């Protein structure tokens, strides 16, 4: 939430000016009322910041998007007056908010203090009279746009208020009716399309807007400094704007929430924030605050508010209520750590932490109101000089993904200029595996989207090819073993268990491949053994004399005489008994002709006795 040019009440005696997933504001930016204990944070806006309301400051050129009073239509002039009055009334009628009282300032931005409101009470519903007045304003803006479609101010306001009232088609049509400044009309259309989750169309339209706008402005709009870790600022700023293209593409690709989305929605979100912030700079906003760089930075980093409320410091506080702006929630920090940006092919799953504190940015995708870590299992198999990656997933109850169907995708990207490769499955089940070939190290993103529940989960990790000459693949856990005489990877991927976490007392399957020939005359010895990680001396002793299975709950040995068709696939059922919860090392070994190969993974048993 964001508090702009205002204060956030942490207690009755403490005040800080703020913005954040909540933003509050005092009644006038030039004369804030401060407590005796708290000095003012930041300074009043300079002349260059006073572009939001009132007359232009001395020596500041007129904003061309505001329009010329001498040439604007009568309806355009009326719309400006009505819009100003609407926002005054809107602010006066805001309802009180009961959340966020104990929030502390997470990020200070000039006059603004931002804090993360993901866990706060939802904002109060907007008053019906405000909704009615906004509809009346929209009707007037439509008339004004029809009278003069070149009026940039009217075009921007009509798109803004259509989005506020969640009239997605009206916003798109309003942007397309714009006949004013070329880049402005295109940016407004990109904003409206992005807000409607039309990602590819938004990407194309924003690209046209960037080409049309002045070079200096394009450099500003594509600048990622506010989203980057401060450790990257010096090197990034030292790079000329014209040379940042590849860097920007890499950063935004790594920050993209879901690679299954055909266009990069987080890049579109950056440009949408730039566009909406430009609209906000042209007229009164509920904060009733002069537009400034702190407001701009807050909206570029955390988005623009989509709901409003007021809050006071309690019955003993004599100051007027402060206005709070609420961004969409839950929102997430999708930026990876600097090391992952520098070397994507050395990244680990922990390099992305969507719930990071003191985030440089946050974003709430409109297609997914929840984002979780995806339980997974990766396994690699050999096909000549190519490695087949099986990316297994399992939708646990804690993810709250909602009912099927789901969309699952596995995407690999080498970050070397070549097109990423993707396997995608619509109408996917709650668990399974997707297969992709690789011949070089790749960053893999395994993702599941629940369109009905509007939830998403993902994991990203680097996958490397198996070494040449590999004789034993890794293994893939299954919901049940393949009892056929010819187990196949493609068939078993559909019934992959999808995670290395299992419940005690369950039966699971396992699939692997052997790239060595076996026959009745020359069988291979196969053993599968699960050993508890970190078991103590007495537990190991009890297991060794057969008194307990808690240390070695699985131990299977047999001779493999080969398949009739000579194929590499093998499968077994494993009965995991009731054992204590914890980590167990499940090791598969294949021996023969004096050579032993093995592959090991750690299986986490939950709910054991």
């Amino acid at each position: 939430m964001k508090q702009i040019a205002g204060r956030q009440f942490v207690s009755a005696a403490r005040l800080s000016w703020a913005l954040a997933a909540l933003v509050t504001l005092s009644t006038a930016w030039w004369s804030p009322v401060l407590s005796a204990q708290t000095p003012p944070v930041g300074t009043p806006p300079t002349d260059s910041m006073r572009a939001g309301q009132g007359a232009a400051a001395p020596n500041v050129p007129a904003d061309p998007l505001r329009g010329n009073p001498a040439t604007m239509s009568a309806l355009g002039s009326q719309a400006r007056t009505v819009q100003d009055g609407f926002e005054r009334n809107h602010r006066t009628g805001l309802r009180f908010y009961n959340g966020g009282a104990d929030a502390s300032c997470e990020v200070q931005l000039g006059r603004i203090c931002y804090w993360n409101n993901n866990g706060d009470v939802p904002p109060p519903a907007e008053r019906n009279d405000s909704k009615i007045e906004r509809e009346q304003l929209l009707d007037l803006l439509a008339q004004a746009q029809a009278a003069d479609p070149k009026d940039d101010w009217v075009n921007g306001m009509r798109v803004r208020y259509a989005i506020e009232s969640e009239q997605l088609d009206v916003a798109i049509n309003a942007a397309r009716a714009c006949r004013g400044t070329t880049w402005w009309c295109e940016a407004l259309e990109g904003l409206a399309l992005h807000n409607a989750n039309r990602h590819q169309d938004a990407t194309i339209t924003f690209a046209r807007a960037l080409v049309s706008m002045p070079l200096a402005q394009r450099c500003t709009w594509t600048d990622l400094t506010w989203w980057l870790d401060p450790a990257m600022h010096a090197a990034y700023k030292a790079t000329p704007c014209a040379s940042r293209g590849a860097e920007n593409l890499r950063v935004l690709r790594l920050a993209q929430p879901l690679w299954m989305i055909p266009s990069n929605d987080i890049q579109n979100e950056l440009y949408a924030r730039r566009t909406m912030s430009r609209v906000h700079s042209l007229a009164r906003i509920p904060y009733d605050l002069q537009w400034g760089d702190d407001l701009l930075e807050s909206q570029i980093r955390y988005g623009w508010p989509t709901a409003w409320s007021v809050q006071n410091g309690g019955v003993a506080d004599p100051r007027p209520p402060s206005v709070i702006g609420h961004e969409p929630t839950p929102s997430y920090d999708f930026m990876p750590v600097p090391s992952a940006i520098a070397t994507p092919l050395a990244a680990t799953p922990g390099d992305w932490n969507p719930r990071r504190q003191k985030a440089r940015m946050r974003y709430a995708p409109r297609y997914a109101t929840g984002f979780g870590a995806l339980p997974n299992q990766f396994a690699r198999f050999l096909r000549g000089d190519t490695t087949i990656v099986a990316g297994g997933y399992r939708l646990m109850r804690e993810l709250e993904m909602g009912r099927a169907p789901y969309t699952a995708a596995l995407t690999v990207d080498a970050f070397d200029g070549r097109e990423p490769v993707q396997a995608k499955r619509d109408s996917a089940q709650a668990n399974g595996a997707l297969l992709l070939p690789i011949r070089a190290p790749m960053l893999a993103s395994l993702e599941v989207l629940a369109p009905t529940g509007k939830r998403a989960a993902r994991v990203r990790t680097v996958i490397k090819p198996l070494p040449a000459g590999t004789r034993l693949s890794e293994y893939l856990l299954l919901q049940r073993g393949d009892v056929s005489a010819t187990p196949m990877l493609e068939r078993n991927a559909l019934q992959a268990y999808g995670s290395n976490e299992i419940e005690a007392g369950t039966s699971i399957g396992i699939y692997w491949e052997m790239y060595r020939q076996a026959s009745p005359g020359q069988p291979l010895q196969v053993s599968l053994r699960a050993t508890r990680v970190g078991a103590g001396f007495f537990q190991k002793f009890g297991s060794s004399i057969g008194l307990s299975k808690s240390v070695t709950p699985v131990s299977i040995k047999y001779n493999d005489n080969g398949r009739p068709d000579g194929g590499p696939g093998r499968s077994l059922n494993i009965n995991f008994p009731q054992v204590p919860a914890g980590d167990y090392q499940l090791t598969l070994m294949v021996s023969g002709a004096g050579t032993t190969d093995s592959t090991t993974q750690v299986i986490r048993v939950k709910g054991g006795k």
Side-chain angles (χ1 to χ4, degrees):
M1 289 190 271
K2 296 174 184 163
Q3 295 178 291
I4 306 264
R7 14 173 242 268
Q8 168 202 353
F9 293 98
V10 178
S11 67
R14 182 179 167 204
L15 158 74
S16 67
W17 288 21
L19 152 120
L22 264 176
V23 182
T24 68
L25 112 107
S26 59
T27 54
W29 56 260
W30 56 86
S31 57
V33 180
L34 300 174
S35 67
Q37 295 87 355
T38 308
V41 178
T43 58
T46 63
D47 286 343
S48 64
M49 298 163 63
R50 296 173 187 172
Q53 289 85 39
N59 302 321
V60 176
D63 189 334
L65 297 183
R66 288 177 170 276
N68 186 344
T71 59
M72 71 179 57
S73 69
L75 285 170
S77 178
Q78 182 184 353
R80 287 161 170 80
T81 301
V82 172
Q83 186 276 340
D84 189 79
F86 166 75
E87 289 299 348
R88 290 178 185 271
N89 293 340
H90 186 198
R91 182 180 184 277
T92 302
L94 291 177
R95 286 176 165 154
F96 278 88
Y97 177 64
N98 295 321
D102 296 327
S104 59
C105 182
E106 181 179 332
V107 179
Q108 193 75 50
L109 300 170
R111 304 167 293 168
I112 294 165
C113 170
Y114 167 87
W115 73 94
N116 179 6
N117 67 330
N118 279 337
D120 282 353
V121 177
E126 187 177 43
R127 296 167 62 101
N128 286 332
D129 54 352
S130 292
K131 295 179 182 179
I132 294 172
E133 290 178 7
R134 184 183 290 106
E135 287 300 315
Q136 293 171 342
L137 173 58
L138 267 171
D139 288 342
L140 177 58
L141 288 167
Q143 297 174 46
Q145 187 181 45
D148 183 7
K150 294 183 179 181
D151 190 325
D152 289 325
W153 186 95
V154 168
N155 292 323
M157 292 302 149
R158 190 178 177 212
V159 172
R160 166 190 170 181
Y161 286 110
I163 289 175
E164 281 191 14
S165 61
E166 299 182 351
Q167 299 182 42
L168 306 184
D169 289 340
V170 171
I172 294 171
N173 292 335
R176 289 176 173 170
C178 175
R179 297 294 182 270
T181 304
T182 300
W183 72 263
W184 179 238
C185 295
E186 291 168 337
L188 291 173
E189 184 179 351
L191 166 64
L193 291 167
H194 172 65
N195 196 67
N197 277 331
R198 293 175 55 174
H199 308 293
Q200 288 178 295
D201 292 339
T203 297
I204 294 170
T205 307
F206 276 130
R208 291 203 308 263
L210 290 172
V211 171
S212 301
M213 67 179 56
L215 177 60
Q217 181 178 332
R218 187 189 316 151
C219 287
T220 299
W221 277 45
T222 57
D223 192 304
L224 301 181
T225 302
W226 281 337
W227 283 12
L228 297 176
D229 187 282
M232 300 179 64
H233 286 183
Y236 185 79
K237 292 178 180 178
T239 304
C241 171
S243 303
R244 290 177 183 167
E247 173 93 355
N248 285 357
L249 284 175
R250 184 172 72 256
V251 171
L252 293 172
R253 173 65 170 170
L254 290 166
Q256 184 177 351
L258 293 179
W259 285 0
M260 72 167 69
I261 300 296
S263 291
N264 194 335
D265 58 297
I266 205 166
Q267 175 177 275
N268 292 340
E269 175 71 10
L270 172 65
Y271 302 146
R273 291 179 181 184
R274 284 284 182 185
T275 307
M276 185 61 85
S277 296
R278 191 68 178 92
V279 175
H280 285 167
S281 74
L282 298 174
R284 187 178 298 277
I285 57 177
Y287 295 127
D288 199 22
L289 188 67
Q290 298 293 331
W291 188 259
D293 290 343
D294 46 5
L295 270 172
L296 175 62
E297 181 177 354
S298 74
Q299 295 197 171
I300 300 303
R301 289 176 63 177
Y302 306 111
W304 66 87
T306 55
W308 306 87
S309 65
V310 292
Q311 190 179 67
N312 59 28
V315 295
D317 195 323
R319 294 169 295 190
S322 53
V323 173
I324 298 173
H326 304 255
E327 290 101 20
T329 58
S331 58
Y332 303 93
D333 179 4
F334 290 106
M335 295 294 289
V337 299
S339 60
I341 294 174
T343 53
L345 297 186
T348 66
D351 289 341
W352 286 266
N353 180 10
R355 290 171 174 79
R356 183 184 293 116
Q357 298 298 312
K358 297 186 181 299
R360 292 292 302 176
M361 63 82 68
R362 286 196 176 96
Y363 168 43
R366 293 160 182 82
Y367 52 81
T369 57
F371 234 91
L374 182 63
N376 65 90
Q377 185 204 9
F378 286 92
R380 296 173 296 171
F381 304 87
L382 206 58
R383 297 289 184 273
D385 60 353
T386 300
T387 293
I388 303 298
V389 176
Y393 67 89
R394 187 172 185 83
L395 302 184
M396 310 296 284
R397 183 178 302 173
E398 305 88 80
L399 291 173
E400 299 179 341
M401 297 290 284
R403 66 180 184 272
Y406 310 105
T407 300
L410 173 63
T411 311
V412 292
D413 194 335
F415 286 86
D416 59 359
R418 290 178 293 172
E419 284 294 314
V421 180
Q422 183 177 95
K424 189 175 181 181
R425 184 180 299 152
D426 296 318
S427 300
Q429 297 302 308
N431 53 283
L434 297 109
L435 308 178
L436 275 181
I438 64 170
R439 294 186 177 182
M442 310 279 270
L443 179 61
S445 187
L446 181 61
E447 306 161 350
V448 178
L449 175 64
T452 302
K454 296 190 72 174
R455 307 278 297 186
R458 77 171 195 203
V459 62
R460 285 185 180 158
T461 190
V462 173
I463 304 292
K464 297 180 180 179
L466 287 172
T470 292
R471 294 183 295 265
L472 178 65
S473 75
E474 297 173 328
Y475 58 77
L476 182 68
L477 297 183
L478 309 175
Q479 298 175 66
R480 57 192 175 278
D482 186 341
V483 298
S484 72
T486 58
M488 302 284 289
L489 174 61
E490 291 74 14
R491 184 170 65 240
N492 282 284
L494 296 173
Q495 56 122 6
Y497 187 82
S499 169
N500 282 7
E501 291 189 0
I502 66 173
E503 296 288 337
T506 60
S507 176
I508 60 172
I510 181 173
Y511 175 88
W512 75 96
E513 294 181 351
M514 298 191 305
Y515 311 115
R516 303 169 63 180
Q517 289 300 315
S519 66
Q522 291 182 312
L524 295 174
Q525 292 75 51
V526 177
S527 71
L528 186 67
R529 183 182 178 92
T531 305
R532 187 176 182 186
V533 176
F537 170 78
F538 290 106
Q539 291 174 315
K540 292 180 179 178
F541 178 75
S543 177
S544 68
I545 60 177
L547 295 179
S548 171
K549 289 188 175 181
S550 64
V551 176
T552 309
V554 175
S555 183
I556 300 172
K557 293 183 179 181
Y558 71 94
N559 283 341
D560 188 309
N561 295 322
R563 280 174 39 169
D565 63 352
R570 305 290 192 273
S571 184
L572 280 177
N573 267 311
I574 305 173
N575 294 313
F576 231 94
Q578 283 285 351
V579 293
D583 290 343
Y584 292 78
Q585 187 168 285
L586 184 62
T587 301
L588 173 68
M589 298 180 65
V590 177
S591 302
T595 303
T596 298
D597 299 297
S598 66
T599 181
T600 298
Q601 297 181 43
V602 174
I603 307 299
R604 174 157 294 178
V605 175
K606 302 192 301 180
K609 62 182 180 180

mmCIF file of all heavy atoms in Angstrom, residues 3-16:
data_model
loop_
_atom_site.group_PDB
_atom_site.id
_atom_site.type_symbol
_atom_site.label_atom_id
_atom_site.label_comp_id
_atom_site.label_asym_id
_atom_site.label_seq_id
_atom_site.Cartn_x
_atom_site.Cartn_y
_atom_site.Cartn_z
ATOM 1 N N GLN A 3 1.277 5.464 0.876
ATOM 2 C CA GLN A 3 0.841 6.712 1.472
ATOM 3 C C GLN A 3 1.663 7.812 0.829
ATOM 4 O O GLN A 3 2.870 7.846 0.967
ATOM 5 C CB GLN A 3 1.076 6.712 2.991
ATOM 6 C CG GLN A 3 0.230 5.683 3.713
ATOM 7 C CD GLN A 3 0.541 5.689 5.186
ATOM 8 O OE1 GLN A 3 1.613 5.297 5.588
ATOM 9 N NE2 GLN A 3 -0.399 6.120 5.976
ATOM 10 N N ILE A 4 1.020 8.683 0.106
ATOM 11 C CA ILE A 4 1.745 9.688 -0.644
ATOM 12 C C ILE A 4 1.654 11.022 0.043
ATOM 13 O O ILE A 4 0.590 11.453 0.410
ATOM 14 C CB ILE A 4 1.181 9.837 -2.039
ATOM 15 C CG1 ILE A 4 1.150 8.490 -2.713
ATOM 16 C CG2 ILE A 4 1.938 10.841 -2.835
ATOM 17 C CD1 ILE A 4 2.249 8.139 -3.585
ATOM 18 N N ALA A 5 2.785 11.681 0.130
ATOM 19 C CA ALA A 5 2.856 12.995 0.740
ATOM 20 C C ALA A 5 2.026 13.030 1.970
ATOM 21 O O ALA A 5 1.343 13.980 2.254
ATOM 22 C CB ALA A 5 2.375 14.062 -0.216
ATOM 23 N N GLY A 6 2.040 11.977 2.718
ATOM 24 C CA GLY A 6 1.212 11.922 3.894
ATOM 25 C C GLY A 6 1.874 11.120 4.963
ATOM 26 O O GLY A 6 3.057 11.009 5.040
ATOM 27 N N ARG A 7 1.063 10.492 5.810
ATOM 28 C CA ARG A 7 1.616 9.850 6.965
ATOM 29 C C ARG A 7 1.012 8.488 7.144
ATOM 30 O O ARG A 7 -0.123 8.240 6.785
ATOM 31 C CB ARG A 7 1.355 10.672 8.213
ATOM 32 C CG ARG A 7 0.329 11.759 8.024
ATOM 33 C CD ARG A 7 0.015 12.415 9.329
ATOM 34 N NE ARG A 7 -1.360 12.253 9.713
ATOM 35 C CZ ARG A 7 -2.302 13.103 9.421
ATOM 36 N NH1 ARG A 7 -2.028 14.159 8.735
ATOM 37 N NH2 ARG A 7 -3.527 12.910 9.821
ATOM 38 N N GLN A 8 1.783 7.637 7.739
ATOM 39 C CA GLN A 8 1.315 6.323 8.099
ATOM 40 C C GLN A 8 1.339 6.234 9.608
ATOM 41 O O GLN A 8 2.352 6.450 10.234
ATOM 42 C CB GLN A 8 2.234 5.255 7.497
ATOM 43 C CG GLN A 8 1.987 3.882 8.065
ATOM 44 C CD GLN A 8 3.177 3.004 7.893
ATOM 45 O OE1 GLN A 8 4.147 3.373 7.241
ATOM 46 N NE2 GLN A 8 3.134 1.848 8.497
ATOM 47 N N PHE A 9 0.215 5.918 10.237
ATOM 48 C CA PHE A 9 0.149 5.870 11.683
ATOM 49 C C PHE A 9 0.549 4.490 12.177
ATOM 50 O O PHE A 9 -0.181 3.528 12.029
ATOM 51 C CB PHE A 9 -1.269 6.198 12.164
ATOM 52 C CG PHE A 9 -1.656 7.618 11.877
ATOM 53 C CD1 PHE A 9 -2.409 7.907 10.762
ATOM 54 C CD2 PHE A 9 -1.250 8.653 12.693
ATOM 55 C CE1 PHE A 9 -2.766 9.204 10.481
ATOM 56 C CE2 PHE A 9 -1.604 9.939 12.422
ATOM 57 C CZ PHE A 9 -2.365 10.228 11.317
ATOM 58 N N VAL A 10 1.719 4.401 12.757
ATOM 59 C CA VAL A 10 2.170 3.158 13.354
ATOM 60 C C VAL A 10 1.668 3.084 14.784
ATOM 61 O O VAL A 10 1.386 2.032 15.307
ATOM 62 C CB VAL A 10 3.705 3.062 13.294
ATOM 63 C CG1 VAL A 10 4.189 1.808 13.964
ATOM 64 C CG2 VAL A 10 4.160 3.108 11.843
ATOM 65 N N SER A 11 1.551 4.208 15.440
ATOM 66 C CA SER A 11 0.916 4.291 16.751
ATOM 67 C C SER A 11 0.349 5.691 16.858
ATOM 68 O O SER A 11 0.553 6.532 15.995
ATOM 69 C CB SER A 11 1.937 4.032 17.872
ATOM 70 O OG SER A 11 2.882 5.087 17.910
ATOM 71 N N ALA A 12 -0.384 5.967 17.952
ATOM 72 C CA ALA A 12 -1.032 7.274 18.085
ATOM 73 C C ALA A 12 -0.019 8.399 18.162
ATOM 74 O O ALA A 12 -0.334 9.544 17.839
ATOM 75 C CB ALA A 12 -1.922 7.271 19.323
ATOM 76 N N ALA A 13 1.203 8.085 18.581
ATOM 77 C CA ALA A 13 2.187 9.147 18.770
ATOM 78 C C ALA A 13 3.232 9.186 17.668
ATOM 79 O O ALA A 13 4.101 10.030 17.687
ATOM 80 C CB ALA A 13 2.898 8.953 20.119
ATOM 81 N N ARG A 14 3.178 8.262 16.738
ATOM 82 C CA ARG A 14 4.233 8.181 15.732
ATOM 83 C C ARG A 14 3.663 8.391 14.343
ATOM 84 O O ARG A 14 2.619 7.871 14.010
ATOM 85 C CB ARG A 14 4.913 6.807 15.806
ATOM 86 C CG ARG A 14 6.059 6.681 14.815
ATOM 87 C CD ARG A 14 6.706 5.330 14.944
ATOM 88 N NE ARG A 14 7.575 5.121 13.806
ATOM 89 C CZ ARG A 14 7.920 3.936 13.364
ATOM 90 N NH1 ARG A 14 7.470 2.866 13.944
ATOM 91 N NH2 ARG A 14 8.719 3.810 12.326
ATOM 92 N N LEU A 15 4.380 9.154 13.537
ATOM 93 C CA LEU A 15 3.920 9.491 12.189
ATOM 94 C C LEU A 15 5.087 9.389 11.218
ATOM 95 O O LEU A 15 6.178 9.784 11.505
ATOM 96 C CB LEU A 15 3.376 10.924 12.193
ATOM 97 C CG LEU A 15 3.337 11.646 10.853
ATOM 98 C CD1 LEU A 15 2.218 11.094 10.009
ATOM 99 C CD2 LEU A 15 3.162 13.130 11.060
ATOM 100 N N SER A 16 4.855 8.833 10.051
ATOM 101 C CA SER A 16 5.854 8.909 8.989
ATOM 102 C C SER A 16 5.129 9.138 7.687
ATOM 103 O O SER A 16 4.066 8.582 7.456
ATOM 104 C CB SER A 16 6.698 7.622 8.932
ATOM 105 O OG SER A 16 5.920 6.546 8.523
#
